[in-house]
Amino acid sequence: MSLEEASRLLDAASCITIARQARSTARGYAYRLSLLVRRTDEGELRRLVKAFGIEGNILPISARGAPYYQLAWYGHSAIEVLAAAKPWLHERAREAKLAEKFWRAGQYEQAQRGPIADEVWAKRDELYAAMRELKAELSGRERTVSAYRDLSTL
């Protein structure tokens, strides 16, 4: 699978999320950036990992009797994959751009020593809310067929 083919698959079949998770911290929560892909063919996910050259977690999942697999990239790995896929993203371009902005503005690349500044938390909170709003907007409209048309060649 080429990088372009892998990127088109991500564009059509991935989920980019910023999850707010309960934590035993001063704020009581933290954020987790994720890039997820679910498929019934584990081999297809392994080819996706190979195409990007960035390790991810592949786990078997069963729901309603239909077995499938989920590939997950978190944090820095998710940002690296999205950066590599950027030239071919269309349906997920706005989500990917917001995820990158969240990562940079949230200062996740910097070593965290001591408490995180209030203004950094405020920016993380703002961008988390922006991703939720974008997801709500995108779920309100039907995704275009163009992102799916070439998947049969993968």
Side-chain angles (χ1 to χ4, degrees):
M1 180 181 300
S2 71
L3 182 58
E4 180 179 355
E5 291 169 330
S7 299
R8 287 189 288 134
L9 177 60
L10 274 187
D11 196 39
S14 69
C15 178
I16 302 167
T17 63
I18 300 169
R20 186 173 174 165
Q21 301 175 318
R23 291 284 188 258
S24 58
T25 63
R27 290 199 180 267
Y29 64 91
Y31 293 109
R32 184 175 198 178
L33 175 66
S34 306
L35 173 58
L36 310 171
V37 183
R38 290 184 177 172
R39 309 302 283 173
T40 57
D41 180 4
E42 182 182 9
E44 186 174 28
L45 295 178
R46 294 200 182 285
R47 289 188 296 278
L48 197 58
V49 167
K50 186 176 180 182
F52 285 109
I54 300 167
E55 286 300 316
N57 300 321
I58 298 175
L59 299 171
I61 299 173
S62 181
R64 295 188 248 351
Y68 59 92
Y69 299 87
Q70 177 174 281
L71 166 59
W73 285 288
Y74 299 107
H76 183 74
S77 296
I79 291 299
E80 287 183 336
V81 170
L82 291 171
K86 190 175 184 175
W88 298 282
L89 295 180
H90 301 285
E91 290 294 316
R92 303 275 184 245
R94 290 170 58 198
E95 294 164 86
K97 185 176 180 179
L98 191 53
E100 181 185 1
K101 188 174 181 181
F102 172 84
W103 192 254
R104 277 186 285 110
Q107 299 181 5
Y108 285 98
E109 289 297 316
Q110 300 174 11
Q112 297 296 327
R113 294 192 178 109
I116 298 168
D118 287 341
E119 57 270 9
V120 173
W121 274 109
K123 195 66 174 172
R124 289 177 180 183
D125 292 340
E126 174 190 328
L127 293 168
Y128 165 75
M131 182 66 89
R132 287 179 56 95
E133 289 174 17
L134 178 58
K135 292 284 192 179
E137 175 190 329
L138 293 174
S139 69
R141 68 172 175 82
E142 194 171 318
R143 298 222 179 240
T144 64
V145 174
S146 64
Y148 299 92
R149 73 172 181 258
D150 295 322
L151 287 179
S152 62
T153 63
L154 297 180

